Amino acid sequence: MTALASARSTSSTSGTTTSNRISTGNSPGAGEDASRSPGAHRTDRADRADREDREDREDEAQRTTTTTSRERRARLGRHGTATMPCVVWSFFLVGGLLSVLGLAAAPCAADDTVREWSMPEGKNLTLHVLADNPYGAKCLDGSPPGYFFRRGSGAGKQAWHIFLPGGGWCASADDCAARASTAMGSTRPWTPRRKSARRLAVLFKGILSPTRRRNPNFHDWNLVVPLYCDGGGYAGRAGWRQVNESTSIYMDGWRIMKAVLSDLMDQRGLKSATQVLLSGCSAGGQAVVMLCDQVETLLPSATVKCLMDGGFFLDARDRNDKLRFRSLVQRIASLHQATGNARCGRAHEDEEKWRCFFPQYSLGYVASTIFVVNPLFDYAALSIGNQLPNKTSSIARCLHDLTVDMPSLTESIRNNSWSNMTYKENSPCSEDEQKAVLTVAGVMYNEVKALVKKERRVAAYLLDTVAHCSTVYSSWSKIRVNGVTVRKAIGNWYFDSDGSDESRFLHP
């Protein structure tokens, strides 16, 4: 069993914004509209969009009324100061985990609208900063949101790939305030430098690569990577909040995505798209479930499909029989006033809306076509879920110590039985800890299998490795399940090259 590395970051340029309104509605389930004509389906989309557009306006009016007066009284000077010193961070995003690549003190960039990186392979990236966007959306620190953009070419001119990067969440106001001073809570640190361009070139691998050899299906598509700067999984609606006398934050994830999609429609040509792939890694993968139907509703004439990579976080008991991950998600949902997938949110009372952040509960409400890519042994999920107190390398050693081959291990997971396992005395994990890890893998396998069986629009690819996010590394062309690489499986799924039941659920 091998441990996979994981990387993710971004790059640069600009754009003005317009007031195109984005619906947050969700299409009906596949079972609901199977007998309807395409025209009726589009009419239903428009009706839902109109109804939920009114809800959006009411929400915006209430938010503006409640926050503007407080901002006048307590707005911090740092939110409006473009030249103040700040710390510039460049990150590898190991899904929801961060490790610092570089650190340097530098002046913050002004709130300019275009910043461009000249990339080594000639495929330049631009960062579009959405100052004065019509939704009033802001990053945690009050700076305007933005997105990285790479223009498509050739056959990919009208094809779009929107990728949502991960980076965990902040579950308390103090945590969000700390995050606001980093590149995960602000657009100010993102300034073009030669070193950062080289780092970005290294990080744009796998499904983000601009080269045909590494990314044969999507290399020439328009690529959009929103900056993940809200800490609430792109879902927050809480808006402005004062943390203490000297600090305030904005939790605007939902408005940020509305602003990004609006700008793409009006300024970049998304409205003419014929093919769209919405994908994401880790917290970004989880957000795909929330946004998938919204994007499909926005583009009724395009083929829209969604890919969730490393985002199948489980609501499961940990090794101490606690629902630790559930508690974390409940705090995030409460702090950011986030509801996840809209259709799921409407089906649950306020105190139960946190369920819509867990794919095992929310995927059944998604009407769009979606592909789940996830390792059975997801080290980010295992760490956050408190299944093992050890580091990633220890998780790999723990599982490697099992004296069963993969077919036997897979059978143990499926049957929830470990009678064929033996343990080494020098293992970094106890027998109970090893069983806890396998239990989580078994729950994931069963949950995904049930979803694929019940929902024809859901397909899945489960890896037997210790990893987190599998599409954004060069190894996506090497990892195989039943002889099929991650890259090949995604291509087959998106372009319907193989619609057999066997290809809909690839697993060890």
Side-chain angles (χ1 to χ4, degrees):
M1 194 171 298
T2 59
L4 297 182
S6 141
R8 183 77 208 86
S9 189
T10 22
S11 80
S12 124
T13 249
S14 129
T16 55
T17 61
T18 63
S19 57
N20 183 55
R21 196 74 185 177
I22 306 298
S23 164
T24 58
N26 289 273
S27 306
E32 296 176 19
D33 68 344
S35 62
R36 300 182 188 178
S37 67
H41 185 64
R42 285 193 291 272
T43 301
D44 287 348
R45 285 185 185 177
D47 290 343
R48 283 192 302 277
D50 289 343
R51 182 184 70 249
E52 287 162 2
D53 196 42
R54 288 193 298 272
E55 295 174 359
D56 291 348
R57 286 194 295 270
E58 292 172 0
D59 179 81
E60 290 295 322
Q62 182 177 6
R63 181 245 187 181
T64 302
T65 301
T66 56
T67 62
T68 302
S69 60
R70 287 181 296 175
E71 287 181 348
R72 290 195 187 108
R73 291 193 302 268
R75 186 186 299 275
L76 298 180
R78 67 180 176 88
H79 289 158
T81 302
T83 58
M84 63 170 289
C86 69
V87 175
V88 178
W89 300 76
S90 295
F91 294 102
F92 272 131
L93 302 190
V94 187
L97 307 176
L98 303 177
S99 62
V100 179
L101 244 187
L103 173 64
C108 289
D111 289 340
D112 47 11
T113 56
V114 182
R115 305 172 197 170
E116 184 166 1
W117 274 259
S118 296
M119 304 299 285
E121 68 283 312
K123 302 286 187 180
N124 288 357
L125 285 161
T126 52
L127 172 62
H128 295 256
V129 179
L130 305 179
D132 300 321
N133 65 82
Y135 301 96
K138 296 178 175 65
C139 294
L140 283 169
D141 73 329
S143 62
Y147 60 88
F148 296 103
F149 182 58
R150 187 174 68 213
R151 176 67 69 183
S153 61
K157 284 185 176 179
Q158 290 183 293
W160 290 73
H161 178 194
I162 302 172
F163 176 82
L164 306 179
W169 313 266
C170 51
S172 72
D174 287 338
D175 288 345
C176 289
R179 187 184 178 105
S181 64
T182 75
M184 298 301 294
S186 175
T187 50
R188 300 188 200 280
W190 292 98
T191 55
R193 291 182 177 84
R194 186 172 297 175
K195 287 185 178 180
S196 62
R198 287 201 299 267
R199 287 167 180 155
L200 290 168
V202 170
L203 296 174
F204 273 69
K205 300 295 186 182
I207 202 169
L208 304 178
S209 172
T211 63
R212 180 189 295 272
R213 180 172 63 87
R214 295 186 177 93
N215 183 20
N217 292 313
F218 310 105
H219 69 281
D220 56 353
W221 287 29
N222 295 281
L223 177 66
V224 178
V225 183
L227 281 179
Y228 179 32
C229 65
D230 67 281
Y234 305 87
R237 300 182 183 221
W240 180 87
R241 172 170 175 168
Q242 187 162 2
V243 180
N244 54 48
E245 291 183 359
S246 61
T247 307
S248 62
I249 55 175
Y250 293 82
M251 293 174 283
D252 276 353
W254 172 72
R255 295 179 187 86
I256 288 173
M257 287 310 303
K258 287 165 70 71
V260 168
L261 291 172
S262 177
D263 196 68
L264 292 175
M265 290 287 285
D266 295 330
Q267 302 297 326
R268 310 290 154 238
L270 179 61
K271 63 175 65 176
S272 300
T274 57
Q275 294 175 303
V276 177
L277 173 65
L278 175 67
S279 76
C281 158
S282 192
Q286 191 182 47
V288 164
V289 179
M290 173 189 69
L291 291 166
C292 189
D293 286 345
Q294 177 180 342
V295 174
E296 187 186 43
T297 301
L298 185 67
L299 300 167
S301 299
T303 298
V304 178
K305 295 188 178 183
C306 300
L307 168 64
M308 181 177 68
D309 180 16
F312 205 95
F313 295 104
L314 285 169
D315 180 27
R317 294 190 177 277
D318 67 12
R319 58 195 176 89
N320 297 320
D321 201 34
K322 304 289 186 182
L323 291 167
R324 181 182 178 185
F325 214 150
R326 177 186 294 187
S327 176
L328 172 66
V329 165
Q330 288 173 331
R331 296 197 304 274
I332 295 167
S334 175
L335 176 68
H336 292 266
Q337 295 180 18
T339 58
N341 175 272
R343 221 169 140 238
C344 177
R346 289 194 294 272
H348 291 83
E349 299 296 330
D350 287 348
E351 62 272 14
E352 293 291 310
K353 290 186 188 298
W354 57 266
R355 290 181 175 273
C356 301
F357 281 84
F358 287 107
Q360 69 203 85
Y361 305 136
S362 61
L363 270 174
Y365 292 93
V366 178
S368 308
T369 301
I370 193 163
F371 192 53
V372 176
V373 176
N374 223 90
L376 287 170
F377 308 104
D378 189 317
Y379 61 74
L382 290 170
S383 299
I384 299 171
N386 195 32
Q387 302 303 336
L388 283 176
N390 311 85
K391 296 181 179 180
T392 301
S393 58
S394 296
I395 296 175
R397 292 199 306 272
C398 170
L399 295 173
H400 184 72
D401 280 337
L402 303 182
T403 58
V404 292
D405 57 12
M406 185 48 62
S408 297
L409 178 56
T410 303
E411 199 64 28
S412 297
I413 292 170
R414 291 176 183 171
N415 298 328
N416 198 32
S417 171
W418 299 276
S419 58
N420 61 341
M421 285 189 351
T422 58
Y423 306 92
K424 294 182 179 180
E425 292 183 0
N426 62 350
S427 170
C429 307
S430 68
E431 293 185 16
D432 287 343
E433 287 171 340
Q434 293 182 57
K435 289 179 180 179
V437 171
L438 292 174
T439 299
V440 171
V443 171
M444 179 178 294
Y445 173 87
N446 290 327
E447 291 285 354
V448 173
K449 180 180 180 181
L451 281 166
V452 172
K453 183 177 181 180
K454 181 180 178 182
E455 307 289 352
R456 182 71 192 176
R457 53 199 158 64
V458 178
Y461 184 104
L462 298 180
L463 298 78
D464 57 7
T465 54
V466 178
H468 182 57
C469 294
S470 307
T471 64
V472 291
Y473 313 112
S474 298
S475 57
W476 82 315
S477 62
K478 301 179 179 68
I479 301 170
R480 295 177 184 271
V481 172
N482 295 342
V484 181
T485 64
V486 178
R487 187 174 72 183
K488 179 68 172 177
I490 293 172
N492 288 346
W493 160 76
Y494 190 93
F495 298 103
D496 295 320
S497 303
D498 182 1
S500 66
D501 286 341
E502 291 77 12
S503 69
R504 288 184 55 245
F505 185 35
L506 292 170
H507 57 86

